[in-house]
Amino acid sequence: MVPAGGYAWWYIDALSDDGKHGLTIIAFIGSVFSPYYHWSGRGDPDNHIAMNVALYGPRGGWCMTERGRSHLARDHDNLVIGPSSMHWDGDSLRIDLAEITAPLPKKVRGTIRVFPKVMPQTLWPLDAQGNHAWRPIAPRAVVEVKLDNPSLSWKGEGYIDSNAGVEPLERGFSDWHWSRAHLGRDSVVLYEGQRRDASRFAMGLRFADNGTISEVELPPERVLPKTLWRMPRITRADAGAPVEIRRTWEDTPFYSRTALKTRLFGEQAEAVHESLSLDRLEKGIVKLMLPFRMPRRA
């Protein structure tokens, strides 16, 4: 149950084995980036739900249609948002998509299956009060993509996590930077940011293929070039190692998502990186721009 003013999301990303394709899927309840949720006073998170789908590479597309509470159904193993759904069958997460891209409308139809390699049962609070928390559900997974619209079929490696909070995200943080990388056998997540009380949080976690989780010291900070929207991007990499921006997947006034080639803990790695500015998200002009990419069908 998501409380009034709160949020929950489930995040999946994947990179194809041939490096040509990528995707992210985020299921939102109490959509944290929704101007409609903000304007409503955030009293009813179930009335502001969305299945965000982003396809990168050839035949890409971006969907984030917000819907009302009558389009939501959920239990322990299922989450239904409008015509799309997620179902845990005991071995894999099956995602059935029936979405429309924005701003130019095109169908996104098909099925994605995510097979976790390891599933740690650990929750990390992101603030001292425990108002915001993060759970790495599957730091490494095999992903199979079979879409009819657009016509896409590929396999790769992916990642699943979730975040939840009992208050608006921007009340707890001003910004954060996050990345996940798959090494030869292990997976690494680097997570840091600025809280509203001016304190910082920073964590480095290494997930072994046997389920062991180790805290690791964050590698040296690396400042990446700003995006076209002038979003600051900070990541971590081994000292002296180059960091290559393979592609900037998302470039918005308050958020960026980037595919990186980097070196961490002595190993080459393909990484997915995100930077988020809640200070920018709070600006009125930004909220007025969002419906262009995030239509609402209550």
Side-chain angles (χ1 to χ4, degrees), residues 59-289:
R59 297 185 293 280
W62 200 92
C63 318
M64 193 168 176
T65 301
E66 182 172 312
R67 304 179 189 277
R69 60 165 39 251
S70 64
H71 297 272
L72 172 66
R74 61 181 297 204
D75 58 31
H76 185 268
D77 295 323
N78 299 277
L79 175 61
V80 178
I81 294 178
S84 298
S85 65
M86 295 181 173
H87 168 66
W88 174 251
D89 63 13
D91 295 313
S92 71
L93 178 67
R94 177 183 171 124
I95 307 167
D96 291 301
L97 298 175
E99 297 293 329
I100 301 293
T101 62
L104 299 177
K106 295 181 181 180
K107 292 181 179 180
V108 175
R109 303 283 190 276
T111 299
I112 296 165
R113 295 191 71 187
V114 186
F115 298 85
K117 292 185 176 180
V118 62
M119 297 180 70
Q121 302 297 315
T122 308
L123 185 75
W124 272 269
L126 298 179
D127 64 320
Q129 296 75 30
N131 291 332
H132 306 268
W134 166 71
R135 183 189 299 275
I137 296 172
R140 198 164 195 156
V142 174
V143 178
E144 297 178 354
V145 176
K146 294 182 180 179
L147 299 183
D148 299 316
N149 299 101
S151 179
L152 281 174
S153 179
W154 53 266
K155 293 183 179 180
E157 283 200 327
Y159 168 95
I160 311 174
D161 74 8
S162 68
N163 284 65
V166 299
E167 65 178 10
L169 194 63
E170 59 266 35
R171 191 174 297 172
F173 307 93
S174 58
D175 65 61
W176 74 34
H177 305 274
W178 170 93
S179 65
R180 68 87 174 158
H182 292 159
L183 308 181
R185 296 177 63 88
D186 298 349
S187 301
V188 173
V189 174
L190 308 176
Y191 207 168
E192 59 188 305
Q194 186 84 26
R195 301 186 184 102
R196 282 295 174 195
D197 63 6
S199 66
R200 291 194 63 81
F201 73 95
M203 67 177 79
L205 299 173
R206 185 163 184 158
F207 301 87
D209 58 3
N210 64 1
T212 303
I213 306 173
S214 304
E215 293 190 18
V216 294
E217 183 177 348
L218 289 176
E221 182 179 292
R222 306 293 288 276
V223 177
L224 300 173
K226 291 182 178 180
T227 68
L228 292 176
W229 278 103
R230 309 304 295 164
M231 262 293 297
R233 294 183 286 186
I234 297 172
T235 190
R236 301 279 176 161
D238 289 355
V243 179
E244 177 186 347
I245 295 177
R246 301 295 294 270
R247 183 177 175 183
T248 298
W249 281 350
E250 298 291 348
D251 181 2
T252 79
F254 65 92
Y255 178 82
S256 71
R257 182 180 295 130
T258 311
L260 299 176
K261 183 177 181 181
T262 185
R263 189 171 183 85
L264 291 166
F265 308 103
E267 296 187 49
Q268 291 295 124
E270 301 284 337
V272 176
H273 174 275
E274 297 180 345
S275 289
L276 173 65
S277 171
L278 282 312
D279 287 345
R280 288 186 171 205
L281 177 62
E282 283 196 298
K283 294 183 182 300
I285 185 62
V286 172
K287 286 186 167 58
L288 290 173
M289 294 166 64

Side-chain angles (χ1 to χ4, degrees), residues 1-60:
M1 190 75 179
V2 179
Y7 64 89
W9 78 71
W10 294 264
Y11 167 94
I12 299 98
D13 71 35
L15 295 163
S16 65
D17 290 335
D18 62 9
K20 294 181 180 179
H21 303 275
L23 68 79
T24 60
I25 299 172
I26 313 175
F28 289 98
I29 298 177
S31 181
V32 292
F33 305 132
S34 166
Y36 315 103
Y37 189 34
H38 170 79
W39 293 329
S40 75
R42 294 192 173 100
D44 188 358
D46 286 3
N47 200 40
H48 299 274
I49 58 175
M51 188 77 77
N52 176 215
V53 182
L55 305 174
Y56 307 112
R59 297 185 293 280

